[in-house]
Amino acid sequence: MNLRCEGCGAQLTLEPELRTALCPYCGSTSIVERPAETDRPTPAFALGFAVSRGQVHESARAWLGRRSWFAKSGVRKAALEHLQGIYLPAYLYSSVAHVDYRAEIGEHYTETETYSDTENGKKVTKTRRVTKTEWHPLSGRLDDYVADTLVTASKGLPNSELGAVEPFDLRQLRRFQPALLSGWLAEEPTLTQPQCLELARAEMRRSVESRLRGFLPGDEQRGLSHTLEVAQESLELCLLPVWVLAARYAPDSPPMRIVVNGQTGKTTGKVPLSWTKIAAAALGAALVAGGLVYLLLLQKP
Ligand SMILES: [Zn+2]
């Protein structure tokens, strides 16, 4: 059967006996049945679940326990609810990037220079070592094969959250078989392919740029500019195993969402911070700083 969440827009596909009254992504109860879409893209690959329900519970507990003191009280002991495994739609992107770059490369060298100083009322000449930079231009071409970039195809689970539970071991990817979904919720892509391509290209550009900066020689670089040409782009729809659960830390606040990588157990979530605790810490720091200033002033002759 096919369901849509009116809260976050997620489109779920599931067996009738798995019918849910609660959106696994946002906890909304506005779940409506929708007709099956005929033109939806079919996944090319899928990764199976390797982390059990019990392991997810443990990972989430341990993760909550490691949250900082600035988290709202109750977060570290939050009650876990609505644990749900979902096949998340994501696009796997690869391409070949040709980068033409130019920059100025700085090499450090030391020199001894003389300078004049006054000692006991007399002018004296002294020497000292100084570090200088010699700049020379460099340009060239870098070819980079960008493989295995994953971007979400779900409106319910943004790319930042998917990124936070990556990496997935993509060597385990298998051709998609509908039988794989038996017993699990699956989501259909709610972002369009062009939207996902944009996300993937932005990720690819960031990775190429960071590789370029690491690749440049010299002690310093300045004026780096480059043009990027992309070839052999491919974008394939995959289903990724994720666990989603809710952590209730206070009876009067909406629960926070925790997402766990269904293959590795890597866990993420947006921790609500306590502004009272942060303000108290800032006030404490200000008092300490104020105290130091006061002591310094006292020491002044
Ligand atoms: Zn929802």
Side-chain angles (χ1 to χ4, degrees):
M1 74 186 305
N2 301 287
L3 301 174
R4 185 179 69 244
C5 169
E6 308 269 77
C8 70
Q11 310 236 38
L12 303 168
T13 311
L14 61 163
E15 289 151 9
E17 61 272 22
L18 291 175
R19 171 187 268 283
T20 171
L22 218 57
C23 173
Y25 287 125
C26 70
S28 163
T29 48
S30 313
I31 299 272
V32 296
E33 211 169 328
R34 66 183 165 91
E37 270 157 53
T38 45
D39 59 344
R40 65 169 200 228
T42 318
F45 301 102
L47 267 181
F49 277 85
V51 176
S52 72
R53 192 168 273 273
Q55 287 167 320
V56 173
H57 234 269
E58 271 174 41
S59 302
R61 268 267 73 85
W63 182 85
L64 281 170
R66 290 194 303 271
R67 291 315 93 200
S68 86
W69 184 79
F70 291 115
K72 279 199 170 158
S73 48
V75 163
R76 282 188 272 184
K77 295 235 146 57
L80 301 175
E81 301 174 344
H82 310 309
L83 179 55
Q84 188 71 263
I86 304 169
Y87 276 106
L88 175 80
Y91 277 99
L92 183 63
Y93 171 88
S94 67
S95 64
V96 179
H98 304 291
V99 188
D100 284 304
Y101 62 86
R102 52 182 64 249
E104 280 192 279
I105 305 299
E107 308 276 5
H108 291 169
Y109 63 97
T110 48
E111 236 181 33
T112 309
E113 67 174 24
T114 52
Y115 65 104
S116 33
D117 201 2
T118 334
E119 241 171 44
N120 307 323
K122 274 190 209 157
K123 255 195 153 189
V124 288
T125 304
K126 291 185 173 177
T127 60
R128 64 184 166 202
R129 305 281 289 165
V130 286
T131 300
K132 296 197 166 176
T133 307
E134 183 180 279
W135 292 98
H136 54 91
L138 180 75
S139 63
R141 168 168 260 226
L142 179 74
D143 292 319
D144 201 0
Y145 179 60
V146 184
D148 302 350
T149 299
L150 279 174
V151 292
T152 184
S154 159
K155 277 185 192 162
L157 197 109
N159 213 33
S160 54
E161 261 170 292
L162 174 59
V165 296
E166 275 183 71
F168 287 88
D169 180 3
L170 297 174
R171 290 169 305 178
Q172 309 287 331
L173 273 180
R174 297 289 173 264
R175 284 256 150 230
F176 171 73
Q177 305 278 345
L180 186 82
L181 302 185
S182 167
W184 298 95
L185 288 186
E187 197 199 346
E188 285 177 21
T190 39
L191 292 176
T192 65
Q193 206 174 5
Q195 285 172 319
C196 295
L197 184 58
E198 260 328 294
L199 281 176
R201 282 180 176 158
E203 230 171 80
M204 175 268 295
R205 278 193 291 267
R206 277 195 297 276
S207 111
V208 167
E209 280 161 20
S210 91
R211 193 163 115 73
L212 181 57
R213 276 191 296 275
F215 167 83
L216 289 178
D219 300 311
E220 277 184 71
Q221 302 127 19
R222 70 182 180 195
L224 173 62
S225 68
H226 71 277
T227 54
L228 176 66
E229 213 180 286
V230 181
Q232 295 168 47
E233 284 187 302
S234 105
L235 197 64
E236 306 243 41
L237 186 60
C238 305
L239 292 177
L240 303 175
V242 296
W243 289 97
V244 181
L245 60 157
R248 194 170 284 284
Y249 59 94
D252 51 345
S253 308
M256 59 178 282
R257 172 164 84 179
I258 296 182
V259 177
V260 180
N261 182 321
Q263 189 190 33
T264 65
K266 196 173 172 196
T267 304
T268 189
K270 267 194 218 93
V271 175
L273 297 177
S274 159
W275 294 106
T276 342
K277 285 186 187 175
I278 291 169
L283 182 66
L287 285 175
V288 168
L292 283 176
V293 168
Y294 180 69
L295 283 175
L296 285 173
L297 286 175
L298 276 185
Q299 278 169 12
K300 267 224 164 142

